[in-house]
Amino acid sequence: TNSSNQDTSSGTSENAQEIEEEADRSFHGGLTRDEWKKLGAIAALFFFNVLFWSIFEQGGSSLNLFADKFTNCSLFGFNFPSSWFQSLQPVYVIALAPVFSYIWLKLGDKQPTSPAKFAFGLFFLAIGIAIMIPASILVAQGKVSPLFLIFVYLVETMGELCLSPIGLSTVTKLAPTKFQSLTMGAWFVSPSIGNFVAGLLSKDFKEDASQLTMLFGKMAVATLIAAVILTLLVPRIKKLMGNVK
């Protein structure tokens, strides 16, 4: 009898929960309150993802021009075309991806949350583009060492590995089940917008040391400010994400 009463009580509780969730969805446009909160978290990360790619994609535009016009393409007596710099990021990704995977797995539950990893990605990106400031200043004296771009691409790739795979994974977990494919498609709009903005920014590339310093300086400052803002928002975004880390 006790077992029968417990089963009845459990069934009633589950039915009440289902009715409550259905009522919640009806009131909030087909989604529960928690699902709307998770969409809010995605929207916040979407904004910072756009900013990240708008600076990161300078690698194929303004940084590529800098390599061609202002970089001494010779290292240890070996001469190479400026286009070879475009091979650095893929090489860094292949080399460092296992390292980052190992670090996250090793940290386990102690690893930073997804929004915190986004912030790390922006900090790395800010440091990377900031390296271009002294490089731009030295342009006034002639072509600069290729080591500048070598380190820029290295640090920026570290930022990419903190942000890009984490963003895809997090959005997959946060997306409402009934709109998961649509949400993932919308997420891919963010790097598209970032690429578009990157093109607009690269239009300010001039063959002048002071203007180059100003261009890369503005990018570094904007990225650093965004990283600080995101760091401050991490607790709030974590709250919106609910049980998703």
Side-chain angles (χ1 to χ4, degrees), residues 2-18:
N2 290 339
S3 176
S4 177
N5 289 338
Q6 288 177 356
D7 290 342
T8 302
S9 176
S10 175
T12 303
S13 176
E14 288 178 0
N15 289 336
Q17 186 176 358
E18 288 177 2

Side-chain angles (χ1 to χ4, degrees), residues 62-73 82 85 132 135-136 138-146 148-149 205-209 212 216:
S62 61
L63 294 183
N64 198 27
L65 290 171
F66 190 93
D68 184 55
K69 297 178 181 297
F70 302 118
T71 302
N72 180 17
C73 298
S82 61
F85 283 106
M132 292 304 300
S136 298
L138 291 174
V139 162
Q141 303 174 18
K143 291 193 173 184
V144 302
S145 170
F148 281 107
L149 286 176
F205 184 94
K206 308 293 182 185
E207 296 186 26
D208 176 77
L212 286 173
F216 292 120

Side-chain angles (χ1 to χ4, degrees), residues 76-157:
F76 305 119
F78 176 74
N79 297 319
F80 55 90
S82 61
S83 58
W84 280 22
F85 283 106
Q86 293 299 300
S87 302
L88 289 175
Q89 285 178 324
V91 171
Y92 288 148
V93 168
I94 293 170
L96 294 176
V99 177
F100 276 78
S101 296
Y102 175 79
I103 292 172
W104 303 143
L105 290 173
K106 191 70 175 177
L107 289 174
D109 292 337
K110 295 180 181 179
Q111 65 178 282
T113 59
S114 298
K117 290 176 182 176
F118 258 69
F120 281 132
L122 287 169
F123 275 118
F124 277 123
L125 183 64
I127 294 170
I129 204 69
I131 295 173
M132 292 304 300
I133 297 174
S136 298
I137 294 172
L138 291 174
V139 162
Q141 303 174 18
K143 291 193 173 184
V144 302
S145 170
L147 292 177
F148 281 107
L149 286 176
I150 289 172
F151 283 110
V152 168
Y153 285 124
L154 172 62
V155 178
E156 289 190 351
T157 301

Side-chain angles (χ1 to χ4, degrees), residues 22-38:
E22 188 61 35
D24 192 24
R25 282 194 173 92
S26 298
F27 185 74
H28 292 92
L31 298 174
T32 65
R33 187 180 288 103
D34 287 340
E35 286 173 333
W36 275 112
K37 287 180 179 179
K38 289 177 179 178

